[in-house]
Amino acid sequence: MKITVRQGSLVETRADALVVGVHSGSKKLSGENAAVDRACQGAIREALGYEDFKGDVGQAVFVPSGKAPAKRILVVGLGEKKKFDGAASRTAAATAAKCCRDARLKNLAFAAADEDATTAMAEGLGMANYDPALHLTRNKDKRPPLLAKATFCVKDKVAGVRARVARGLAQAAGVNFSRDLVNEPSNCLTPTAMANRAKAMARQFPNLTCRVWGPRDIEKNKMGGIIGVGRGSAEPSQFIQLEYKPKRQIKGMKTIAFVGKGLTFDTGGISLKPPAGMELMKFDMGGAAAVLGAFRIMAETQPDVRVLGFVAAAENMPDGLAIKPGDLLTMMNGMTVEVNNTDAEGRLVLGDALHYAKSKKPEFIVDAATLTGACMIALGDVACGLMSEDDKLVKLIEGAGKASGDEVWRLPLQQRHRDLMKGHVADLTNTGPREGGALTAAGFLSNFAEGARWAHLDIAGTVWTDPGDALNPKGGTGFGARLFAAIAEAAAK
């Protein structure tokens, strides 16, 4: 979708639909809204009196266009004026995009009165203009078409609005890149295929580099967690390493690191999962998708911070060579782990990745993983769990969550959670008691980040949506891509 920014009035703009935003409780129209209302002979004011349209965020209604140069006028709710923010702008734009797509309209136009809201509006349009049917071969013409064009009409500051639009579209592109990865069937997105997509992405941008360790390098570097988890699969494990370097080199520039869990499919291994819903275990690489999507965003938004990315990609399968409950693994940092449940495999691959990330001595490390069902029970799909003992880092991430729209919620991480993961015949076991499962998982991971500033994000509840909405169609949400990019922006300040 192309977004054009033009200086001029909305009522004079030709489009399939002119979009007018109104706050809940609005009684009067002014400015551009009043001009469009006059052109459509009062249809917008009439809509404000509809019983089923209150102007709430997420509501929209088509009205006749009258003499306006458009097929339709779309009135979109903005919610309460005093609560209007970037999130409301994003959702309103997404609602407009979905309504127009459902009506098979190809282009729409907005009045971009608030320059600060423009980034969120462009982001919402880009996120709503996504089709998760990656491999549909029949009846494509019956699906809502993607938007071809949107026009933002402004009075002045054209260059500034264009820059904000570009940022919003870059963020949406990163989210959609992540969504594609999560939505792919696991036989299409193997660990090797994920590594190839990371390399292809890096080739697109001069400020990104990517290198990949295959099984031989993983073995050479004694990454026992990745080796053990991938042992039962015919698909070779991969360790993906990304680097973002800003064009502007600043003295004393920080280096930070992001780590993502990349289980392209998780059967549970010998500790086999129940069959119902197992097909969704293709999304167990959602943390990896978040890291890769963030690098796609940063390549365009260019924050002034060096960023390293590490993705441990593997399949967890119950082959005859697979690790068994009770087996012993020796991790990259030399610690031994008694595997008492092969379905707690994500923390094993993350342990090696965290240790390797720590060896690069970044300012801080943040990992993301679809790690525990316990976190889904605790927080649902509203927010991801944030666990760290570094209050300053937590504050940075919470601010990034608010700025990006990827909400986080802090959960406690204490020495008790680490103690519960101590082993009997080994240094650690890979699962603890049922209670507090998200916290003991973080306690396990802390052994591999020890000595570094580190935070863990459990995104199990936020990486997938069903049935979905205007902003997040059914399937992968791309959660974490914007959050990681916002963390990088905050670290650069």
Side-chain angles (χ1 to χ4, degrees), residues 225-241:
I226 301 175
I227 293 168
V229 172
R231 207 166 70 193
S233 175
E235 294 291 343
S237 299
Q238 307 287 319
F239 186 57
I240 303 165
Q241 302 167 58

Side-chain angles (χ1 to χ4, degrees), residues 3-258:
I3 295 183
T4 300
V5 180
R6 65 178 290 269
Q7 192 167 6
S9 63
L10 179 63
V11 73
E12 296 172 350
T13 303
R14 292 192 174 277
D16 289 343
L18 301 185
V19 181
V20 172
V22 296
H23 291 285
S24 56
S26 295
K27 300 295 183 184
K28 294 181 180 180
L29 300 171
S30 60
E32 290 282 356
N33 289 359
V36 176
D37 186 55
R38 287 192 292 272
C40 65
Q41 300 170 324
I44 298 173
R45 277 177 298 160
E46 186 178 344
L48 296 179
Y50 291 172
E51 190 172 330
D52 58 349
F53 180 78
K54 305 298 183 184
D56 296 335
V57 176
Q59 288 190 319
V61 61
F62 281 111
V63 299
S65 58
K67 295 181 179 180
K71 294 179 181 177
R72 305 271 191 95
I73 304 296
L74 180 63
V75 186
V76 177
L78 304 178
E80 293 182 46
K81 192 169 186 177
K82 63 181 180 181
K83 295 182 179 179
F84 186 67
D85 56 10
S89 296
R90 190 183 299 115
T91 300
T95 301
K98 184 179 186 304
C99 287
C100 288
R101 287 185 61 198
D102 289 345
R104 311 193 76 78
L105 305 178
K106 292 292 187 73
N107 64 82
L108 64 164
F110 293 84
D114 186 345
E115 188 179 353
D116 290 336
T118 306
T119 300
M121 289 171 64
E123 189 180 308
L125 286 173
M127 289 176 65
N129 201 38
Y130 175 78
D131 189 351
L134 302 178
H135 301 286
L136 188 72
T137 62
R138 298 185 180 185
N139 301 318
K140 285 185 179 181
D141 58 327
K142 293 182 180 179
R143 293 186 67 79
L146 294 178
L147 295 172
K149 180 183 177 183
T151 302
F152 283 12
C153 302
V154 297
K155 292 181 179 179
D156 50 23
K157 300 181 181 179
V158 173
V161 173
R162 281 180 180 147
R164 290 172 183 269
V165 164
R167 172 175 284 272
L169 287 178
Q171 290 174 174
V175 171
N176 291 341
F177 183 80
S178 295
R179 286 170 167 173
D180 279 349
L181 295 173
V182 173
N183 286 329
E184 280 285 12
S186 63
N187 63 326
C188 298
L189 192 79
T190 61
T192 300
M194 184 191 291
N196 289 337
R197 292 205 189 190
K199 288 188 283 189
M201 177 186 69
R203 286 194 293 269
Q204 287 183 275
F205 301 99
N207 50 9
L208 297 186
T209 57
C210 179
R211 62 184 297 210
V212 177
W213 285 355
R216 187 174 298 178
D217 290 315
I218 292 171
E219 190 88 37
K220 179 181 175 182
N221 285 277
K222 300 180 180 179
M223 305 178 92
I226 301 175
I227 293 168
V229 172
R231 207 166 70 193
S233 175
E235 294 291 343
S237 299
Q238 307 287 319
F239 186 57
I240 303 165
Q241 302 167 58
L242 290 158
E243 181 178 5
Y244 159 76
K245 276 187 178 179
K247 290 181 180 178
R248 217 169 49 139
Q249 294 299 305
I250 301 172
K251 188 177 180 180
M253 181 181 292
K254 295 176 184 175
T255 296
I256 63 175
F258 297 147

